[in-house]
Structure formats: C-alpha cells, structure tokens
Amino acid sequence: MKKAYLALALGLSLSASSLSEIINLAQSSNLAQISNMQPQIAQLKQESVNSAYLPNLSVKGGYNYHLLDPSILTPKQSLQILASIELLLYDGGKKEASLAALKHLHGSEILKNEDFKNSLALDISRLYFNFIALNEIIKAKESQINYLQNALDRLEKFYSAGLAAIDEFEAIKAKFHAAKVEALSYKQKQDEINSKINLLTNQILTPSSGSRIDEPNLAQGSNKTALKVLEEEFKASREDIKIAGSATLPQIFIKDTYSIYRNDFDNDFSSLDPRFQAITPYLDTIFKKRHRTNEITLGFSWKIFDFEATSKEKQIKQIASNQAALNLEQKRLENRINLQNLKNELNILKEKINAHELALKAADSSYEAVFKKYEAGLSGYVEFLQALTAKFEAQSGLELSKDEYEIKKAEFLYENGEEILKRVVER
C-alpha cells in the first residue's frame, strides 16, 4: 500500500515486471540518458576540431578620434574595417593526428555507452534474481510459520488440558515467533532490493518471477566491450605522440586581408604659398581620405628551439601510451582468468543445485515421517523442530543456489562481451 501511495505521489507506474522489461526500463532511465550524451559530446569535439582547420573569416574595425591636435601625418579622425580569410596549409601532421585521436575517442565513448547499458543489465539481473530468490525463501518461511502455528494451536489445547509439558509449549512458541521475525527480515531485504531497482529504472515496480538467463556458450571467445574501449584509448594515445612531435615542424598558412580606410587629416592645402600650389595634387594623394587595400600573405612559423620542452612533452605522451598498452594487456589477462573462474563456478553450481534438490527431497521425506510420529506422540518436539528447520534450510539452499547460478550466467555473458538483454528468456 505504501508503494502504491508513493507511485501516485511521484506520478510513476506500479506494476509487476519481468527481467527483460526491467532491463529495458533501466536502459532508458536518467542514468542511461546521461551516458548516451557522452558519445554526442565526443562527436561534437571531433566536428569542432575538423571545422577549426577549415578557412576562417574574421572582421574587425574601429573609429579613432584625436582630442589633441595631431601631427600633419596623423589624421584627426579615422575609420577602418578589415576582413581577413586564413587557411592553415600544413601544421606538421597535427591536424591528421588530432582528428584520428578524436575518432578513436569517439569510438571509445560509443563503446563505453554500450558497456554501461550492459552493466546496468548485469546490476538489474543481480537484483532481480536476489529478489525472486527471497520471494521463494519467504514463501518457504511462511510455510514453516504455518506448520509451527498449527503445531502451536494443537499443543496449546493439550497444554491447557495438562497433557503437554511447559518446555515443549514454550519451545514451539519461541520457534514460531523467531520464524516470524526472520520472515520480516527477509521482506525488509526484499524491499531494499526493490528500492535499488526503482532507483535504476526511475519506476515503482515489483519484479515478477518467470525470467531466466539462457545457457551461455562456454567455449565462445571473449569479445568484452571494456577491452575494446581500452584498445580505442590506446590507439588515441599513439596519435597523441604524433601531436606532440608536430610542434617541432613548421606551420604554413595563407591569408588574404581586405582593408577599407577613411581618414580626415584636417589639412587645408589651399592656403599654401602659391609657389607650392603645384604639389597640392601629390599632397591630396598622400593624404587622401579614402583608400582600399587587398593583401595576400603566404607565411610560415617554425619553433626551432624550446629548450627540449617539446621533446619532454613527446616523452610524456610516449610513457602514457606505454601505460595504456600495459593496462590493456593486464585487463585481457584478467578477462581470461575471470572467464575461466566463472566457467568453473557455473559447473560447480550445477552440481550444487542437484545436491540441494536431493537434500530437499530427503528433508521433505524426513519431515513427513517425523511430523506423523510427532502427532502420534511417538516423537519429541526436538526432533520435530529439527526436521522442520532442515526442510526450510534445504528449500532456502536450493533457491539460493538457483539464484547464484542465474547471476553467474549473467556475469559470464557480461565478461564475455555478450548483450545480457538478448539472452533473457521469459516464461
């Protein structure tokens, strides 16, 4: 009831959901959407750098006014506008290396996003099967409580009639209340798991039983996404070395600048001595108010010496690349070991499930025999409680083994680079 009120308050849905439904919800949650944005950012970075190498157009201008009397060569006021277009022709290979590095990093972010979604599927699988296992354990515990309740009701009548010992009555009563506390504890754990599922999915829901993980192909080679991420990052680190080395090579560019000037010199050449009237046209040309220029520049810049700063930077990038290579090799080794361990655990769990099934069958038979004897007065309450406890423990052990087996299959699929959602089987 509390979950229903909470669902209404938050405007969320309250429903019983299968494993595949819960994974789909988790993979479209807020966390998943945040992860989806990372490849978009990487793509925009790549496009931004690529655009920066295209011709760029810039415009600038200004107006100047001299408050004090300027010299004859300085205009009283002036207006200028400059437009320039520039293109970098060669930068020592930095452009190609930068774009290649960003391409690898973009690929890395795409793979990280895929890996994150699959890790969400793994987290949901763990929570789902723990929830379902607790569900079965709670049912078994409730069955145990019912057995104890019936035994307690029967014993209470005998005790009231003076036909049962006080120690037997108190022992059954204590066991009954202890079982109720244990059931509440299991339900609390189940609520905690459900809360975690709700956080991952942004939904108020309850897992429904009936889902399982398909049997994995234990002989299939690993294709783990996290290793692909490291491979892309290593390739990007190799490009970083080229970027650092490009600083010692020349940069060649071409630039076209178009300028418009308007100058007011505040010079009156009409008042010149008549003897200098002949040069007035030349003075007008020199001090003309308007003129335009168009200048094309083919230039270069070259850092010849920087006290080995570039060399040190290149060494840093080389070391970082070596680290990336070693990290990749280490993770590959860990992946092989983890897969082998998971294969062993899966095989052991199969045997463990078989053993628990046999143990449960034996515990059921033993309990039925002891219970009949106990009702007939041919067996004591100690044997009855022991048989009932063994029955519950056998049921719990079987459910926990099944739970662990399903989780290990999901872990194997994740470690092997397979999409867990695609391997979920619904009843």
Side-chain angles (χ1 to χ4, degrees):
M1 183 61 69
K2 289 181 179 178
K3 289 181 181 178
Y5 286 139
L6 180 60
L8 291 173
L10 296 177
L12 300 174
S13 62
L14 177 62
S15 61
S17 303
S18 64
L19 176 56
S20 57
E21 289 171 337
I22 299 173
I23 291 175
N24 276 317
L25 287 171
Q27 291 182 345
S28 59
S29 65
N30 292 339
L31 290 173
Q33 291 181 48
I34 292 170
S35 178
N36 286 338
M37 293 176 184
Q38 290 304 120
Q40 298 175 31
I41 293 172
Q43 176 67 31
L44 289 172
K45 285 181 179 179
Q46 187 178 354
E47 292 174 359
S48 174
V49 171
N50 188 52
S51 297
Y53 281 100
L54 298 175
N56 62 82
L57 175 66
S58 60
V59 179
K60 65 180 180 178
Y63 171 78
N64 299 317
Y65 183 84
H66 289 272
L67 298 176
L68 301 177
D69 291 336
S71 67
I72 191 173
L73 297 176
T74 304
K76 180 71 176 177
Q77 57 183 338
S78 63
L79 177 66
Q80 57 179 347
I81 299 175
L82 295 90
S84 64
I85 184 168
E86 185 174 353
L87 174 63
L88 184 63
L89 300 175
Y90 176 73
D91 63 355
K94 182 179 179 181
K95 171 187 174 181
E96 292 76 9
S98 297
L99 292 175
L102 288 170
K103 181 180 179 181
H104 290 306
L105 292 176
H106 179 223
S108 169
E109 291 298 336
I110 292 174
L111 291 168
K112 282 181 183 177
N113 187 41
E114 292 176 3
D115 185 63
F116 179 74
K117 288 184 177 180
N118 209 24
S119 70
L120 280 177
L122 177 59
D123 291 339
I124 291 294
S125 297
R126 288 182 176 130
L127 294 169
Y128 172 87
F129 288 114
N130 284 338
F131 183 93
I132 298 303
L134 280 171
N135 219 28
E136 296 302 317
I137 291 172
I138 289 170
K139 288 179 183 178
K141 179 58 68 174
E142 288 174 345
S143 177
Q144 183 187 25
I145 291 170
N146 289 334
Y147 280 122
L148 289 169
Q149 180 71 68
N150 293 333
L152 190 62
D153 292 342
R154 173 177 171 275
L155 196 60
E156 190 172 10
K157 294 176 182 178
F158 288 149
Y159 178 69
S160 299
L163 300 175
I166 182 66
D167 60 336
E168 182 179 4
F169 177 73
E170 292 297 332
I172 299 292
K173 185 177 180 181
K175 189 68 175 178
F176 170 74
H177 286 287
K180 290 180 70 174
V181 171
E182 288 175 7
L184 289 173
S185 176
Y186 289 135
K187 288 177 180 177
Q188 175 60 28
K189 290 179 181 178
Q190 198 175 44
D191 286 341
E192 291 173 1
I193 291 172
N194 211 12
S195 296
K196 293 177 182 178
I197 292 175
N198 296 337
L199 281 174
L200 290 175
T201 60
N202 304 138
Q203 300 287 333
I204 303 297
L205 50 82
T206 301
S208 59
S209 60
S211 303
R212 65 178 180 85
I213 302 295
D214 195 14
E215 293 296 322
N217 181 2
L218 301 184
Q220 183 174 322
S222 175
N223 196 29
K224 190 176 182 181
T225 309
L227 294 178
K228 294 180 183 178
V229 170
L230 294 177
E231 288 173 1
E232 291 296 321
E233 291 177 349
F234 169 67
K235 291 175 182 177
S237 72
R238 300 304 299 172
E239 299 299 331
D240 286 340
I241 299 172
K242 298 176 185 178
I243 294 171
S246 67
T248 60
L249 299 173
Q251 293 189 350
I252 302 172
F253 64 90
I254 187 170
K255 182 177 183 180
D256 185 6
T257 304
Y258 182 76
S259 308
I260 300 175
Y261 295 89
R262 176 185 173 87
N263 301 315
D264 291 329
F265 286 93
D266 199 21
N267 295 329
D268 184 8
F269 297 120
S270 62
S271 61
L272 286 175
D273 189 292
R275 290 176 297 173
F276 298 101
Q277 291 294 327
I279 66 171
T280 298
Y282 299 104
L283 293 175
D284 288 336
T285 301
I286 295 172
F287 296 99
K288 66 181 180 179
K289 291 186 176 182
R290 295 184 181 87
H291 67 277
R292 302 176 182 180
T293 64
N294 189 5
E295 181 184 69
I296 297 178
T297 303
L298 179 63
F300 76 95
S301 64
W302 195 348
K303 183 166 65 175
I304 302 298
F305 181 70
D306 61 1
F307 292 95
E308 294 189 345
T310 300
S311 176
K312 299 298 182 185
E313 182 65 22
K314 189 174 180 180
Q315 290 178 45
I316 291 171
K317 299 298 182 183
Q318 180 65 62
I319 292 172
S321 181
N322 293 342
Q323 288 177 320
L326 290 171
N327 186 45
L328 175 58
E329 186 58 35
Q330 180 66 23
K331 294 300 180 183
R332 283 173 176 162
L333 177 60
E334 290 177 9
N335 177 242
R336 289 194 293 270
I337 292 173
N338 289 341
L339 285 173
Q340 185 58 52
N341 289 337
L342 286 168
K343 289 177 185 178
N344 294 339
E345 289 178 35
L346 285 169
N347 289 328
I348 291 171
L349 282 168
K350 286 180 182 179
E351 297 299 324
K352 195 173 181 181
I353 289 171
N354 290 333
H356 279 298
E357 287 175 342
L358 293 172
L360 178 58
K361 186 176 180 181
D364 283 341
S365 299
S366 176
Y367 172 77
E368 292 298 329
V370 171
F371 181 68
K372 289 178 180 178
K373 289 182 180 179
Y374 178 68
E375 281 192 320
L378 301 175
S379 177
Y381 70 91
V382 174
E383 290 80 6
F384 166 70
L385 291 179
Q386 287 176 342
L388 186 60
T389 300
K391 176 182 172 66
F392 170 73
E393 289 178 348
Q395 288 174 316
S396 299
L398 178 59
E399 292 304 325
L400 290 173
S401 295
K402 289 180 178 179
D403 166 55
E404 190 178 1
Y405 183 63
E406 295 298 326
I407 291 173
K408 288 300 176 184
K409 285 193 288 184
E411 289 177 357
F412 180 87
L413 292 174
Y414 176 77
E415 194 70 28
N416 209 42
E418 298 180 62
E419 191 175 345
I420 295 172
L421 179 58
K422 292 181 177 179
R423 303 298 298 274
V424 175
V425 178
E426 303 294 353
R427 184 171 57 192

